Amino acid sequence: MTEAKKLCPDLIFQHVATWKEGDEKWAYHEDAAAHIATHKVSLDPYRLQSRRILTTIKEALPAPPLQRVEKASVDEVFLDLSAHIHHLLVERYPELNGPPPYDDPSENLPLPPTTALDWNTDALVDLDRTETEEDDPDWDDIATLTGSEIIRNVRKVILERLKYTCSAGVARNKMIAKLGSAHRKPNQQTIVRNRAIQHFLGDFEFTKIRNLGGKLGDQVVATFGTNLVQELLGVPVEQLKSKLGDDTGTWVFNIIRGEDYSEVNPRTEIKSMLSAKSFRPSINSSEQAFRWLRIFVADIFSRLVEEGVLENKRRPKTINLHHRQGGQMRSKQAPIPQGRHIDESILFDLAKNLLGQVVVEGRAWPCANLQLSVGGFEDGVSGNRGIGSFLVKGEEAKAMKPVVRSQAPSTIEETRPDKRRRIESGGIHKFFVKEEGSREEDNEEYGAPEFQSDTFGAQELLELVEEDPKTDLEYGGQAHSASESPSAREPQHSAKPLRLLHDQDDPFQLQQDVQGLHQTSITSYICERCNGSMSITEKEEHDDWHFARDLQAQERGSAPVTESPTTPSTELNISSKPNTVVGRSNPKGKGLGGKKPGTAGTSHGGSTGKTEKGQRKLAFGR
């Protein structure tokens, strides 16, 4: 600035935008230079323009995969034009489309059809000493010329749209292109042909080459006593490897000869965001640090908004605090909650907690430097729905509310549609038939209602009871309410209970009782208790039948039953609610095993107990 003022006494200096302590937005302050202790430089205006330039560059180039753009910094971009140039060369020179001569890929390409190239107004680097301009151009020269045309057009578009001038370098790799972009400024582009690389690098200080300007560059200068590329070219690779190590020595040997194999990374998204301040003089209290943390948070959050954090496009996963006191730098990190939207209050609370951890450890003041950063960016999850979206409210909820059944029998009879018996052949009911003779007396004793002449499936009874335990069931052609007492129905019915079919039944008789339902007798097992014969596959079911009969007998206080299973019947006794008994009525007020009406089933060991609400049990035989 001092030198510029000497050359131009009337020069007006404009300080960059700054964050002022206590402000929530950056601004241009006239007295910023005089109050550097309470102001922090803001690069937001430059970042905004950088994004606009990057967008313009992408719009001036064809779409991917022909386009590869890498954002290197706020004012620097790398372009890989390989695919774009190849596409143009194939269009302009059809001879490149054909197969190689003799189908041999190692054969040389045909010579270019042109002998002179027009480089327009570009700054063209002179050729190496062994090359002359009289030599005919090769395909490398034509490819470089095509690349220079593309870059010239990109610079023109940026100037027309945004009014910014740009300098550029065109070469075969990133390292030479970067050096070329700074070779002729402002508003020019430098072309470094492959035949001119050694001449171009010969006069450079190798410390200007990327990755050779820091400690490694100082080590090379101290070891070999020079900083010029031309003088270092004479050092053998083995000597470089012995002094710098195998990998580093090999890399230095290649890089000073223009060999760089780093690729253009098309990723242009931000990986991290940092806001920092060096204090002169140092700050000495948490209150001062909190004020600066609020500025850091406002700075970072404004950049997050531009990155799309409010739309959940991208968001950071971690927040980091770096604190320097004297020569000691301490760092703290915390995760950013992923289940909440990011705002300034969340970031500020996390930053205060991290600073509190540093203060608790001691020796936090005076603080010479404070930094706050966020990182670990990831794409936001889209398409997620909150739990409220799965719920319905208002009229929609009322419309989905189930209709409550009325408990009055008269209402049920008026609104209930007539029940229709299933007539299909499948289902469990095909195993149940009426039995005549042997159990007629028992049915009359208990006053069980008579089922209709056709077999009535157990599955149908279960469905009727589950729908409405008080549903009227039709027996013997008459209808009754399930709420009526057993004694009220006793004189009107005779018992014809259901039973399981057994192998001993006469197939002819069963065919008469149940249409088409009969089983073929396969006798392979004889029961020791009842001398009944049956298939071996039915042995386990037969033993269960004896066990159930024994439990019933035990409840009644009688001896175990040993009669043949050809006469007993397996009856269905189901209760879902009090005062509901289906399959058998008891005029004497006795249920199975002396229980009251409305209960069903037995428990092992002879003990009895009430069934839970909604339970059903099967009682086998009487």
Side-chain angles (χ1 to χ4, degrees):
M1 290 176 61
T2 303
E3 293 297 324
K5 197 72 172 177
K6 290 180 180 178
L7 296 175
C8 185
D10 297 330
L11 182 64
I12 299 175
F13 295 104
Q14 175 60 55
H15 198 281
V16 298
T18 58
W19 292 87
K20 184 179 179 181
E21 186 177 7
D23 289 352
E24 297 183 357
K25 186 71 175 66
W26 57 265
Y28 289 95
H29 300 279
E30 295 182 358
D31 58 346
H35 300 84
I36 192 64
T38 57
H39 288 248
K40 175 191 175 303
V41 171
S42 173
L43 297 179
D44 283 2
Y46 302 97
R47 295 189 185 100
L48 176 61
Q49 298 305 313
S50 176
R51 283 190 290 272
R52 294 177 61 191
I53 294 173
L54 181 62
T55 300
T56 303
I57 292 174
K58 291 182 177 181
E59 292 175 352
L61 295 172
L66 298 183
Q67 174 190 126
R68 288 178 67 91
V69 181
E70 175 185 348
K71 181 179 179 180
S73 66
V74 71
D75 64 344
E76 186 176 19
V77 173
F78 286 109
L79 306 180
D80 184 351
L81 302 177
S82 304
H84 191 185
I85 291 174
H86 178 270
H87 178 74
L88 293 177
L89 289 180
V90 170
E91 286 184 348
R92 296 177 182 178
Y93 303 95
E95 59 267 29
L96 297 178
N97 276 325
Y102 314 109
D103 291 330
D104 184 3
S106 63
E107 285 288 332
N108 293 327
L109 293 172
L111 294 176
T114 182
T115 58
L117 302 178
D118 181 13
W119 297 98
N120 207 299
T121 59
D122 296 339
L124 193 64
V125 175
D126 294 336
L127 297 176
D128 296 340
R129 295 176 182 177
T130 59
E131 304 286 344
T132 63
E133 294 292 349
E134 287 73 20
D135 296 336
D136 290 337
D138 57 14
W139 286 109
D140 288 340
D141 294 335
I142 295 179
T144 305
L145 175 64
T146 305
S148 69
E149 296 173 359
I150 297 173
I151 297 302
R152 190 180 302 113
N153 179 67
V154 171
R155 294 172 52 231
K156 178 182 177 181
V157 172
I158 294 174
L159 181 62
E160 291 176 351
R161 294 186 185 180
L162 306 177
K163 310 304 179 185
Y164 290 122
T165 59
C166 302
S167 60
V170 181
R172 70 181 184 184
N173 57 46
K174 291 173 67 175
M175 184 268 291
I176 301 176
K178 177 176 174 57
L179 294 176
S181 66
H183 187 60
R184 294 288 180 88
K185 284 188 174 183
N187 197 26
Q188 291 194 51
Q189 62 185 46
T190 301
I191 309 300
V192 184
R193 292 169 288 180
N194 292 351
R195 297 185 293 163
I197 289 178
Q198 289 303 317
H199 177 76
F200 177 66
L201 293 177
D203 296 333
F204 266 96
E205 296 179 1
F206 60 75
T207 52
K208 294 185 178 298
I209 298 176
R210 189 171 60 171
N211 297 326
L212 271 175
K215 294 181 179 180
L216 177 59
D218 295 340
Q219 181 183 356
V220 174
V221 171
T223 302
F224 299 100
T226 182
N227 63 349
L228 297 178
V229 172
Q230 187 65 40
E231 296 180 1
L232 198 61
L233 287 173
V235 180
V237 63
E238 294 301 328
Q239 186 176 356
L240 289 171
K241 292 166 67 175
S242 64
K243 298 294 184 179
L244 305 176
D246 290 348
D247 293 340
T248 304
T250 302
W251 180 81
V252 171
F253 181 83
N254 290 328
I255 204 71
I256 60 177
R257 287 166 172 79
E259 301 295 333
D260 177 28
Y261 303 103
S262 59
E263 296 184 358
V264 172
N265 182 3
R267 181 182 178 89
T268 59
E269 295 176 336
I270 296 175
K271 298 180 181 179
S272 62
M273 295 179 181
L274 172 70
S275 186
K277 172 70 176 177
S278 294
F279 304 110
R280 297 185 180 89
S282 301
I283 58 175
N284 295 284
S285 67
S286 297
E287 289 73 15
Q288 288 180 287
F290 287 161
R291 287 196 294 268
W292 282 108
L293 285 180
R294 187 169 293 280
I295 292 177
F296 295 164
V297 166
D299 181 16
I300 291 176
F301 185 72
S302 65
R303 292 150 61 186
L304 288 175
V305 171
E306 296 173 357
E307 193 68 14
V309 69
L310 296 182
E311 296 81 13
N312 201 34
K313 294 179 180 178
R314 300 187 73 220
R315 60 180 292 146
K317 294 192 295 185
T318 58
I319 183 171
N320 306 273
L321 178 75
H322 304 279
H323 174 280
R324 189 174 74 223
Q325 191 271 333
Q328 182 182 11
M329 175 70 78
R330 285 180 286 183
S331 301
K332 299 296 178 181
Q333 185 183 80
I336 298 175
Q338 298 297 304
R340 300 168 56 187
H341 288 290
I342 298 178
D343 55 26
E344 289 190 49
S345 62
I346 291 178
L347 296 178
F348 183 60
D349 290 340
L350 292 172
K352 286 198 302 181
N353 290 336
L354 294 178
L355 179 62
Q357 296 176 24
V358 174
V359 173
V360 168
E361 293 177 358
R363 296 185 60 82
W365 317 113
C367 174
N369 179 273
L370 202 58
Q371 304 175 21
L372 188 67
S373 65
V374 294
F377 278 82
E378 61 182 2
D379 294 335
V381 179
S382 60
N384 278 4
R385 297 170 58 188
I387 191 172
S389 64
F390 294 93
L391 305 177
V392 293
K393 302 177 181 179
E395 296 300 328
E396 185 179 0
K398 293 179 180 179
M400 298 177 61
K401 186 176 181 181
V403 179
V404 180
R405 292 179 180 268
S406 175
Q407 300 298 326
S410 59
T411 305
I412 296 178
E413 292 178 0
E414 293 174 0
T415 59
R416 175 185 57 80
D418 295 337
K419 299 295 182 178
R420 292 187 297 175
R421 177 171 52 85
R422 292 186 180 179
I423 60 174
E424 64 270 14
S425 58
I428 194 174
H429 63 274
K430 70 180 182 179
F431 294 100
F432 293 85
V433 298
K434 66 180 180 178
E435 182 182 86
E436 300 178 357
S438 61
R439 296 295 293 172
E440 197 71 32
E441 297 78 12
D442 289 343
N443 294 333
E444 292 176 356
E445 176 186 352
Y446 287 99
E450 178 182 356
F451 288 102
Q452 288 181 334
S453 58
D454 293 336
T455 303
F456 198 79
Q459 181 63 30
E460 295 178 14
L461 295 178
L462 289 172
E463 291 177 356
L464 291 177
V465 173
E466 287 176 353
E467 287 187 11
D468 191 345
K470 297 186 177 181
T471 299
D472 298 340
L473 301 178
E474 185 175 332
Y475 301 114
Q478 300 183 24
H480 300 277
S481 172
S483 61
E484 295 178 12
S485 64
S487 59
R489 298 194 301 266
E490 177 186 359
Q492 303 173 10
H493 304 283
S494 62
K496 286 186 180 289
L498 302 176
R499 69 178 183 83
L500 287 174
L501 299 178
H502 292 278
D503 290 343
Q504 294 84 350
D505 293 330
D506 184 358
F508 180 77
Q509 181 65 29
L510 294 178
Q511 188 173 11
Q512 291 180 338
D513 293 343
V514 182
Q515 298 177 1
L517 295 179
H518 65 273
Q519 299 182 8
T520 302
S521 177
I522 302 177
T523 303
S524 58
Y525 172 75
I526 299 177
C527 178
E528 296 179 357
R529 298 184 60 180
C530 62
N531 295 325
S533 62
M534 66 207 70
S535 170
I536 191 65
T537 59
E538 298 181 354
K539 176 180 179 299
E540 185 175 353
E541 181 180 353
H542 183 77
D543 292 340
D544 291 340
W545 178 82
H546 277 297
F547 180 73
R549 296 282 295 194
D550 292 344
L551 288 179
Q552 265 191 342
Q554 186 176 3
E555 285 190 351
R556 297 176 178 176
S558 59
V561 179
T562 59
E563 63 184 43
S564 173
T566 57
T567 58
S569 63
T570 304
E571 301 183 16
L572 194 63
N573 187 3
I574 305 174
S575 175
S576 295
K577 292 185 179 180
N579 302 323
T580 304
V581 181
V582 180
R584 168 170 296 189
S585 60
N586 192 342
K588 300 179 181 181
K590 296 181 180 179
L592 187 62
K595 294 179 180 293
K596 296 181 179 179
T599 63
T602 61
S603 59
H604 292 282
S607 62
T608 63
K610 295 182 178 180
T611 58
E612 296 291 339
K613 181 178 180 180
Q615 285 187 333
R616 298 181 293 277
K617 294 185 179 179
L618 297 180
F620 297 85
R622 283 287 181 182

